[in-house]
Amino acid sequence: MKPIVVLTLVGVISALLLSYVYDVTKEPIAEAKAKMKREAIQKIFPFTFDSLRTNKTEKAVFYEAYDAELNIKGIAVETSTDKGYSGNIEVLVGVSTACEVYNYKVLAHAETPGLGDKIDKDKFKAQFKGKGLEGVVWKVKKDDKDGFVDELTAATISSRAVTEAVYQGLKLVSEEYPKLSDK
Amino acid sequence: MKDALQVFTRGFVSENPVLKMLLGLCPVLAVTTTAENGLGMGLATTFVLLGSNTVISASAKLLPKTVRIPAYIVVIATFVTIVDLLIKAFSPELNQSLGLFIPLIVVNCMILGRAEAYASKNGIGYSIIDAFGMGFGFTFALLLLSAMREVLGAGTIFNIPLVGEDPKTILVMALPPGAFAGLGFIIAGLNALEKKQKSNA
């Protein structure tokens, strides 16, 4: 057989096989993605929510968490910062109806393993709990003695970046939902 | 039968792709930060190797010599894409940690090496045995290196803490230099063992 015929055949068979596998896995992949997002959002809220509504604006994507009676319980927002030690840090910030931080989750980062990646450890995250916009200095202690964030040893840049990202998230929520803090 | 056993076992020690032939080192060094990643990468590679060895040994006579390498690469890339889709669909957690490296299996020279050096010249049966032997040998080497790096670098094994929260660890083992150093120590240890065995015999 001529080489060109053989290569074409090999390509066609591969393409057919792949289109079949793609078709079979398409739905499970979409489901897995949706499930992971839901689980990620669930982890940053201290309560269990009943339903999620996505609110896409020009500035960001907000996820509104509702309980069974359709009362809003909290809002999650995705933000990112390019001030990390290496590359972007993406965080999902959970905000309460009183416009205070519940918790956050690092969705993607490329910080140094063992140093900067501790931004995803509960011990570091706990500092942000219950912090709002009013009367709180969103700085690491090294930069500002009034700041509340104890920076991670040997990972000040990562700590600074996360502080900034969480603050951005909180600000985005307070701008998008100005009525929240009145409640 | 003895022949088949020999084909299978040589992948573990005497012709181990990582520890003896030093093939496919890019994934070996990149993903072995935790034992879970090492095991996942090893098994994914074994699956691809199994698929490519089977198909290539079955179709070796049909492929003209001039285009055999491109044909091998298409076969390998097809299996890698299948693995990629399956992992995305059924193990999203593994996908998060390995996702970036799965497509790189295509250029793992160990797989192309087995296709060219073994599967294209031997029957399907032996090629499958060869794929299992080499694949498990690869997985074994990855698991050894990643377990060592996880224990020393993070103080955990399969994400289970060994010495409590926040232990003092040898951080460099979790970083890229630790991969090179760790692999070097394992290879040196293996060579020393073999030398000793030879001088005893």
Side-chain angles (χ1 to χ4, degrees):
Chain A
M1 265 198 287
K2 275 191 177 155
I4 188 162
V5 180
V6 176
L7 263 189
T8 311
L9 274 178
V10 170
V12 168
I13 295 170
S14 298
L16 283 177
L17 189 65
L18 280 183
S19 62
Y20 173 73
V21 177
Y22 174 78
D23 209 45
V24 171
T25 53
K26 204 163 122 191
E27 268 183 30
I29 289 177
E31 267 169 39
K33 268 194 185 152
K35 205 177 145 221
M36 285 209 84
K37 180 135 274 172
R38 208 187 151 90
E39 276 170 11
I41 292 171
Q42 182 62 74
K43 266 192 197 140
I44 55 170
F45 286 134
F47 52 86
T48 47
F49 56 82
D50 196 63
S51 58
L52 264 187
R53 206 175 292 165
T54 313
N55 175 14
K56 242 185 208 159
T57 68
E58 269 172 31
K59 280 186 194 155
V61 185
F62 299 92
Y63 301 94
E64 303 163 359
Y66 291 93
D67 65 9
E69 283 89 44
L70 284 178
N71 296 314
I72 193 158
K73 297 276 282 177
I75 295 146
V77 63
E78 273 177 41
T79 55
S80 76
T81 173
D82 56 1
K83 292 189 178 146
Y85 188 67
S86 61
N88 279 345
I89 301 177
E90 283 172 38
V91 292
L92 185 73
V93 186
V95 179
S96 74
T97 48
C99 209
E100 284 171 351
V101 174
Y102 272 132
N103 201 346
Y104 71 90
K105 184 182 162 68
V106 179
L107 297 174
H109 76 89
E111 303 303 291
T112 320
L115 294 173
D117 71 347
K118 286 194 183 133
I119 53 173
D120 208 14
K121 287 255 158 83
D122 290 335
K123 204 175 150 193
F124 185 69
K125 285 180 179 174
Q127 305 182 83
F128 293 89
K129 205 170 181 179
K131 294 284 189 274
L133 285 171
E134 305 267 319
V136 178
V137 180
W138 284 84
K139 286 272 168 70
V140 297
K141 284 183 179 159
K142 198 173 176 180
D143 294 342
D144 189 327
K145 64 178 171 42
D146 295 327
F148 72 91
V149 182
D150 259 323
E151 66 272 3
L152 293 160
T153 313
T156 310
I157 295 175
S158 310
S159 314
R160 219 179 261 153
V162 168
T163 309
E164 154 111 17
V166 176
Y167 175 68
Q168 285 302 332
L170 191 59
K171 225 167 81 179
L172 279 169
V173 171
S174 79
E175 280 163 12
E176 181 69 21
Y177 303 89
K179 281 182 188 157
L180 270 184
S181 40
D182 301 342
K183 274 186 191 169
Chain B
M1 195 55 222
K2 204 182 155 209
D3 214 26
L5 196 70
Q6 198 248 329
V7 169
F8 181 71
T9 52
R10 67 176 181 191
F12 274 82
V13 181
S14 67
E15 283 183 36
N16 188 297
V18 176
L19 304 176
K20 285 285 162 180
M21 299 198 283
L22 305 185
L23 286 176
L25 288 190
C26 165
V28 172
L29 298 170
V31 304
T32 50
T33 44
T34 66
E36 194 186 358
N37 287 359
L39 187 64
M41 188 67 184
L43 292 179
T45 308
T46 306
F47 178 84
V48 173
L49 188 58
L50 191 61
S52 71
N53 257 13
T54 310
V55 170
I56 286 164
S57 72
S59 58
K61 287 199 182 76
L62 301 171
L63 297 174
K65 254 200 140 78
T66 44
V67 294
R68 67 183 196 288
I69 300 283
Y72 295 164
I73 292 177
V74 173
V75 170
I76 294 167
T78 306
F79 279 105
V80 170
T81 313
I82 292 175
V83 172
D84 192 30
L85 289 172
L86 288 179
I87 288 183
K88 271 194 187 129
F90 301 111
S91 181
E93 293 84 13
L94 200 61
N95 180 48
Q96 277 217 315
S97 50
L98 283 185
L100 214 60
F101 298 102
I102 296 292
L104 283 179
I105 300 177
V106 177
V107 288
N108 187 326
C109 46
M110 174 189 95
I111 295 174
L112 189 63
R114 292 328 286 173
E116 170 72 4
Y118 196 89
S120 62
K121 292 173 192 140
N122 291 280
I124 295 184
Y126 278 110
S127 295
I128 291 177
I129 297 170
D130 178 71
F132 272 118
M134 286 293 161
F136 288 154
F138 185 75
T139 311
F140 166 71
L142 254 76
L143 196 58
L144 200 66
L145 181 59
S146 57
M148 178 171 145
R149 288 182 67 194
E150 195 183 344
V151 169
L152 296 176
T156 59
I157 184 88
F158 284 103
N159 297 323
I160 302 161
L162 293 174
V163 281
E165 276 290 304
D166 249 350
K168 293 251 177 291
T169 55
I170 309 167
L171 197 58
V172 72
M173 289 309 291
L175 303 176
F180 283 101
L183 186 65
F185 279 122
I186 293 175
I187 294 173
L190 202 69
N191 285 352
L193 263 178
E194 258 177 14
K195 213 171 173 185
K196 210 173 162 192
Q197 258 177 0
K198 251 182 212 154
S199 61
N200 281 354

